[in-house]
Amino acid sequence: MRIDPAQQRRLQEIRDNLLARITEAKREGWTGEAEGLHVSLTSAEAKLAQFDGLIARRNAAVNLGMPTYRDLAQTLTLSGEPRFGTRRQRPDNQQYS
C-alpha cells in the first residue's frame, strides 16, 4: 500500500494518541490492552519511518540538467571536426588532421 505524504501529520497524531492510551492502560493494569496498543504503535512508527525514507529519497535526487546549445556547439567546434560521426573533408578532398 502506498503512503500519502499529506497524511503524515494525521499519523503522528495517531501515534501520540496510542502512546497516551498505552500509558493509561499500564496505569490501570490492563496489560492485554497495552500489548495490543503496542502492536498498533509499532505499525504507526513503521509508517512514519516510510515517510522519512520517502522524504530522504526525494531530497537525494540529482538534477542532471539539460545541455544547452552553447555546450553542444563548443564540443563540436573546439577540435575542428565533429566529435561524433564521420570526419569532415577539406575542399581539396583531403581529411583534416
Side-chain angles (χ1 to χ4, degrees):
M1 181 154 104
R2 289 190 163 192
I3 55 175
D4 181 9
Q7 297 300 317
Q8 183 177 13
R9 181 167 293 177
R10 176 69 181 129
L11 194 53
Q12 289 169 340
E13 291 172 4
I14 291 170
R15 181 200 54 204
D16 295 342
N17 182 275
L18 285 167
L19 288 170
R21 290 174 58 193
I22 289 170
T23 302
E24 179 187 12
K26 286 181 179 180
R27 185 181 63 236
E28 297 296 328
W30 304 330
T31 55
E33 180 74 13
E35 289 300 316
L37 292 170
H38 270 290
V39 171
S40 297
L41 178 63
T42 302
S43 296
E45 288 175 341
K47 283 290 184 187
L48 285 171
Q50 284 180 355
F51 280 118
D52 294 339
L54 176 67
I55 291 168
R57 283 190 303 277
R58 285 184 180 170
N59 291 339
V62 176
N63 181 8
L64 299 177
M66 179 66 85
T68 63
Y69 175 77
R70 179 178 291 159
D71 297 335
L72 294 174
Q74 252 184 344
T75 302
L76 293 174
T77 59
L78 287 178
S79 65
E81 62 184 52
R83 187 168 172 88
F84 304 105
T86 60
R87 297 180 68 124
R88 292 187 299 169
Q89 297 285 324
R90 294 197 311 191
D92 57 0
N93 290 331
Q94 294 182 4
Q95 291 185 348
Y96 288 107
S97 51

